[in-house]
Amino acid sequence: MFRSYEDHSKWCVTQKRQKMDSNEATTSESVSKKRGKTKKVKRKVKPDEAPVQEMDQAEGEETEKKSVSGPCFPPTFSVSEIKNKQRRHAMFLKLKEEKRKQKLELKKKKKKERKALGDQAPPKEVPKTIENQRIYDETTVNPEDEEVAFDEGTDEFSAYFSRLTNPKVLITTSDRPRGRTVRFCEQLATVIPHAHVYYRRGLALKRVIPQCVSRGFTYVMVINEDRKVPNGLVLCHLPDGPTAHFKVSNVRLRKEMKRRGKDPTEHVPEVILNNFSTRLGHSIGRLFAALFPHDPQFVGRQVATFHNQRDFIFFRFHRYIFKNEKKVGIQELGPRFTLKLRSLQKGTFDSKFGEYEWVHKRHEMDSSRRKFHL
Amino acid sequence: MQHDDVIWDLIGNDSFCSYKVKTKTQQFCRNEYNITGLCNRSSCPLANSQYATVREEKGLCYLYMKVIERAAFPARMWEKVKLDRNYAKALEQIDENLIYWPRFIRHKCKQRLTKITQYLIRIRKLTLKRQRKLVLLSRKVERREKRREEKALIAAQLENAIEKELLDRLKQGTYGDIYNFPIHAFDKAMEKQEEETESEEEEDEEEPVTREFVADDGFEESDLSDFEDMNNLKGSSDEEEEAEEESSEEEESEEELEEEKTKAQSKGKAPLKGPIRKKRAYVEMEYEQETEPAQKSKAT
């Protein structure tokens, strides 16, 4: 094919030049006109097509001068109409590249304008987040609401909050727990002070609960297991308190934690409850708060956090240390897990005849991405 | 005519029977009327013209009997007798109905009845106990929940939130006197000094006759040294003061501090500008030149 090296090199050079021209032609010339020929022009340059290319080049240059940003397509054109996958992909990438460039230019322009205006520049726009766009829940608690304060003074937790009772927690599982669940229970018992783990021997909860009441327990925690992994939590406040049923996910035991500290000590930890804003959130928050004794021992420097974000409650257990008055270091000990509330029932555990205060109904409540209930 | 032996020859040991299930050690019979469930000469319902079984339907036991007289009428072949619910009475009934029948069949019927009653009792006991309810998980929903949880976790920024909460608690003083940071003491000393200067100024104003050169409002000697540090300290001390409940006396000192802050900042800006602004933005540019590579290679 090539007679000598010289010829080959010359051929290469001409190839390059023609390739550059063909590139111009493809970018500037609308694809709708020359769909069949664009790729061919790129790969095999035939001397026959040279005159055609020159024509296109001239046209291409004109159109390029007109539109600085990129190729102009007829308004009804869309990338998805190209049947050839490779070409379609290439066109799509080009389109994306253009859009990105346009966006960058816009950004630069805005920045310049802002700089030019200086003080008179309009305030910076706040990006939309899901928390910003959350649909306002009418049951959101106002901190000064008297009705809420009255309710909280007379509900089931009032005994705890007026310091009449001390918490005592019973932790148990569903039937025949596997190793992971057992270890999870043990670790929970170290995190929550005054917690006792009991093996469930196929006993009915309805029979267990009166026995617990008689022995002075204030909470029963049942960890449900499925396929060797804890996946549910029933938290029942005892004298005749509400029963909350949660879905548990992402359980991490202590030895699976990275960069964790030593085991938690016996000191009473502090409690942080974040983002419980609605009435329902408030009652759940109090449910968690009443798990722990009143007076945290600050000497222990341990803190248990229940953080609600978009209806998921994240539990973390940390040890903190104040480096100076502006900096605090935290180190995670202890298990971590996420909870999602499934139902809240008045009274102790009674799934059939209990009165449900709140039940998660998937079709009604999950339809909007901006609506949260806690 | 009913030739049991011939039938057994055809379907029995090592022959084909559609009800037969063969395992390594044993042969089972899947015929629903079989009394023992094994494939034997004596327990095959097809190869025995006189046969009886006990079967259970919806919690009730029935005795089925087959006799050679009815072998020609398949529709009426099996005689069904309802047995009593009482176990002892049912046994008597079996004896009564299968009187003069071979011992083997009588014995096996009674055994079968025993087993059936036992498992019926067990069923009744279990239904009274708690039963596991299997809740169906929708895969789509589970995946959606998992993704939402991940996103929520990222949005939560847990460490920051916890740190912020702890620092707020520290400022509010819930920890009391446990943490003594040196800056606290310094700020308190600063406040004391300002109080003193205030009282001094008031005294001076009350005596207009004697001339004295008095310090300006808000001027202090310590102002001159270390602009940056002063800014930080005063900033923190401002916050501290805002957090604590104060009487009206110290409100004036707050205002003075704010003025000092702005003054210090304005003073501080000039020297700071110099050292910081040495870096300039620069752009790297690459130049490419098209050379003829073939010529080079040809030279070698």
Side-chain angles (χ1 to χ4, degrees):
Chain A
M1 203 176 162
F2 309 103
R3 281 180 210 138
S4 69
Y5 231 75
E6 255 187 72
D7 288 341
H8 172 71
S9 63
K10 282 180 191 165
W11 188 85
C12 282
V13 169
T14 49
Q15 272 270 54
K16 266 192 197 171
R17 284 207 200 117
Q18 281 164 351
K19 266 190 187 171
M20 282 165 63
D21 298 346
S22 69
N23 269 334
E24 283 180 16
T26 47
T27 52
S28 58
E29 194 58 47
S30 63
V31 177
S32 58
K33 280 189 184 177
K34 281 191 76 186
R35 273 187 213 178
K37 291 180 188 171
T38 48
K39 279 282 173 170
K40 277 190 198 167
V41 163
K42 271 191 182 170
R43 284 177 203 155
K44 307 177 211 166
V45 183
K46 293 176 187 170
D48 305 328
E49 297 200 37
V52 178
Q53 282 169 36
E54 283 172 8
M55 212 173 62
D56 289 341
Q57 203 186 60
E59 285 181 41
E61 279 172 352
E62 283 180 7
T63 49
E64 271 211 54
K65 281 173 192 168
K66 282 178 195 171
S67 59
V68 184
S69 52
C72 40
F73 300 109
T76 54
F77 171 74
S78 90
V79 187
S80 54
E81 283 172 18
I82 306 175
K83 297 291 184 182
N84 184 327
K85 186 170 180 176
Q86 281 184 341
R87 265 182 239 164
R88 189 172 62 230
H89 188 59
M91 280 313 299
F92 178 67
L93 290 177
K94 272 189 217 160
L95 206 74
K96 270 204 137 176
E97 194 57 50
E98 273 164 49
K99 278 193 184 163
R100 214 178 294 160
K101 275 187 203 163
Q102 280 173 11
K103 198 175 170 187
L104 273 176
E105 278 175 35
L106 205 70
K107 256 191 177 177
K108 273 189 181 172
K109 231 199 262 175
K110 273 197 174 170
K111 208 174 174 186
K112 265 188 186 172
E113 282 172 18
R114 170 171 282 271
K115 237 185 172 181
L117 287 178
D119 281 331
Q120 297 162 2
K124 248 190 176 176
E125 290 161 37
V126 180
K128 290 186 192 172
T129 62
I130 292 184
E131 280 76 30
N132 284 346
Q133 307 295 97
R134 175 178 175 175
I135 295 174
Y136 178 70
D137 196 336
E138 61 250 349
T139 60
T140 310
V141 173
N142 199 357
E144 297 121 33
D145 204 342
E146 286 171 0
E147 194 190 321
V148 175
F150 178 70
D151 275 341
E152 292 185 353
T154 53
D155 76 351
E156 294 107 350
F157 299 106
S158 56
Y160 167 80
F161 283 104
S162 47
R163 299 202 174 223
L164 291 171
T165 55
N166 276 326
K168 194 175 171 195
V169 182
L170 176 82
I171 303 182
T172 183
T173 64
S174 54
D175 285 337
R176 311 237 172 159
R178 312 291 291 190
R180 213 179 145 79
T181 316
V182 171
R183 270 177 276 149
F184 179 54
C185 288
E186 286 168 23
Q187 290 181 8
L188 263 184
T190 55
V191 164
I192 302 173
H194 307 303
H196 306 269
V197 183
Y198 279 90
Y199 183 59
R200 176 100 166 272
R201 295 156 105 260
L203 301 168
L205 265 188
K206 282 197 200 166
R207 300 231 183 98
V208 167
I209 283 172
Q211 284 186 25
C212 287
V213 177
S214 64
R215 289 188 202 189
F217 281 97
T218 52
Y219 264 101
V220 170
M221 238 196 200
V222 183
I223 295 172
N224 190 50
E225 190 201 346
D226 177 52
R227 294 228 190 127
K228 307 180 193 175
V229 139
N231 76 342
L233 177 73
V234 175
L235 193 56
C236 186
H237 183 76
L238 270 187
D240 29 42
T243 311
H245 177 43
F246 295 96
K247 179 173 89 146
V248 171
S249 46
N250 277 352
V251 173
R252 285 259 197 103
L253 300 176
R254 224 168 258 154
K255 65 177 183 179
E256 293 158 13
M257 302 269 209
K258 297 179 185 175
R259 291 188 281 266
R260 69 177 166 102
K262 295 185 185 170
D263 288 339
T265 57
E266 291 293 325
H267 296 109
V268 173
E270 294 173 52
V271 181
I272 292 180
L273 300 163
N274 275 343
N275 287 351
F276 289 97
S277 54
T278 62
R279 284 298 292 271
L280 180 67
H282 252 245
S283 37
I284 299 287
R286 300 180 96 223
L287 195 76
F288 289 131
L291 268 176
F292 294 89
H294 280 285
D295 300 309
Q297 293 169 318
F298 299 123
V299 187
R301 287 187 283 125
Q302 288 171 141
V303 58
T305 312
F306 292 90
H307 182 105
N308 171 38
Q309 189 82 16
R310 303 181 194 173
D311 283 355
F312 287 99
I313 303 170
F314 298 101
F315 172 81
R316 300 283 185 273
F317 194 73
H318 291 279
R319 185 172 277 143
Y320 64 88
I321 179 161
F322 284 106
K323 294 177 190 166
N324 57 36
E325 64 163 16
K326 297 228 171 187
K327 251 191 175 185
V328 60
I330 54 174
Q331 189 188 42
E332 188 160 6
L333 343 160
R336 63 153 82 152
F337 52 91
T338 4
L339 298 171
K340 186 162 201 267
L341 182 67
R342 275 217 206 121
S343 68
L344 181 64
Q345 183 208 331
K346 257 190 167 49
T348 54
F349 182 75
D350 190 345
S351 49
K352 275 194 225 169
F353 304 110
E355 182 196 337
Y356 281 93
E357 216 175 285
W358 187 82
V359 174
H360 180 258
K361 292 178 194 151
R362 185 161 58 89
H363 291 286
E364 288 171 24
M365 298 179 182
D366 270 357
S367 53
S368 163
R369 286 189 211 192
R370 305 284 179 257
K371 187 163 172 54
F372 305 112
H373 310 281
L374 279 184
Chain B
M1 289 228 37
Q2 198 68 333
H3 301 286
D4 297 339
D5 294 325
V6 174
I7 294 174
W8 182 246
D9 255 350
L10 290 171
I11 63 175
N13 302 320
D14 300 338
S15 300
F16 179 78
C17 172
S18 62
Y19 296 106
K20 199 189 289 186
V21 175
K22 262 185 157 176
T23 47
K24 259 192 198 169
T25 47
Q26 224 178 16
Q27 291 174 355
F28 294 99
C29 184
R30 270 179 35 233
N31 193 321
E32 47 200 19
Y33 289 100
N34 190 311
I35 195 161
T36 54
L38 309 170
C39 188
N40 284 327
R41 175 69 182 83
S42 44
S43 17
C44 187
L46 307 171
N48 287 307
S49 42
Q50 193 186 42
Y51 201 77
T53 337
V54 174
R55 275 170 68 187
E56 177 257 333
E57 229 175 275
K58 292 180 193 169
L60 293 168
C61 302
Y62 297 92
L63 175 67
Y64 288 80
M65 288 178 287
K66 167 174 119 162
V67 288
I68 195 165
E69 283 84 29
R70 294 197 301 273
F73 310 105
R76 290 179 255 150
M77 199 152 68
W78 290 95
E79 183 187 340
K80 187 173 171 180
V81 174
K82 184 169 169 184
L83 293 175
D84 206 60
R85 280 197 190 212
N86 187 340
Y87 176 64
K89 282 196 189 157
L91 284 177
E92 282 172 19
Q93 270 180 311
I94 290 178
D95 267 331
E96 191 189 309
N97 279 307
L98 297 182
I99 196 166
Y100 309 131
W101 279 54
R103 212 185 307 136
F104 175 78
I105 292 185
R106 261 188 287 148
H107 182 57
K108 289 295 175 191
C109 279
K110 287 187 212 165
Q111 273 190 335
R112 206 174 158 93
L113 176 71
T114 317
K115 214 40 163 224
I116 289 173
T117 45
Q118 280 174 352
Y119 80 61
L120 284 175
I121 291 169
R122 203 146 166 257
I123 288 173
R124 275 178 241 138
K125 220 192 278 182
L126 283 175
T127 50
L128 290 176
K129 265 194 174 182
R130 319 161 6 244
Q131 280 176 338
R132 272 213 165 165
K133 190 177 165 192
L134 294 175
V135 176
L136 301 173
L137 294 175
S138 166
R139 207 177 303 165
K140 186 173 162 189
V141 172
E142 289 306 305
R143 244 189 280 158
R144 195 189 341 155
E145 291 292 311
K146 196 170 150 210
R147 184 111 175 105
R148 283 193 188 167
E149 192 188 316
E150 286 166 24
K151 294 280 179 180
L153 183 62
I154 294 169
Q157 293 179 336
L158 282 169
E159 272 106 47
N160 291 348
I162 296 174
E163 285 172 11
K164 192 169 147 243
E165 178 68 30
L166 288 170
L167 286 169
D168 284 341
R169 286 190 185 179
L170 180 67
K171 275 187 199 144
Q172 280 173 4
T174 45
Y175 299 126
D177 285 331
I178 305 175
Y179 300 104
N180 297 321
F181 290 114
I183 294 180
H184 279 259
F186 189 79
D187 286 338
K188 285 183 186 167
M190 287 270 295
E191 288 169 28
K192 276 188 187 173
Q193 254 195 333
E194 285 147 23
E195 281 183 50
E196 287 173 21
T197 51
E198 261 189 66
S199 55
E200 279 178 26
E201 286 159 17
E202 285 175 13
E203 284 176 22
D204 291 334
E205 285 170 12
E206 287 170 8
E207 298 176 358
V209 180
T210 53
R211 272 191 200 175
E212 253 187 80
F213 293 100
V214 185
D216 198 3
D217 278 354
F219 175 76
E220 285 183 10
E221 286 181 22
S222 51
D223 225 351
L224 293 172
S225 61
D226 282 346
F227 290 106
E228 289 175 27
D229 291 340
M230 285 306 288
N231 282 339
N232 290 343
L233 279 178
K234 284 199 178 159
S236 65
S237 66
D238 265 347
E239 291 171 27
E240 285 295 320
E241 292 192 53
E242 285 165 17
E244 296 171 26
E245 287 172 46
E246 289 174 327
S247 56
S248 54
E249 286 178 341
E250 289 184 81
E251 277 171 33
E252 290 176 44
S253 60
E254 263 187 82
E255 287 167 32
E256 286 176 6
L257 267 180
E258 280 172 41
E259 285 174 40
E260 285 171 11
K261 196 179 172 188
T262 48
K263 279 185 188 171
Q265 275 182 350
S266 58
K267 285 179 195 168
K269 260 188 184 174
L272 281 175
K273 257 189 182 178
I276 286 178
R277 284 240 171 142
K278 275 185 182 169
K279 275 190 184 174
R280 256 190 238 151
Y282 63 98
V283 181
E284 273 187 37
M285 296 197 59
E286 282 182 24
Y287 292 96
E288 235 185 70
Q289 282 175 349
E290 263 190 53
T291 50
E292 311 244 12
Q295 285 179 357
K296 281 188 184 173
S297 56
K298 214 196 172 187
T300 56

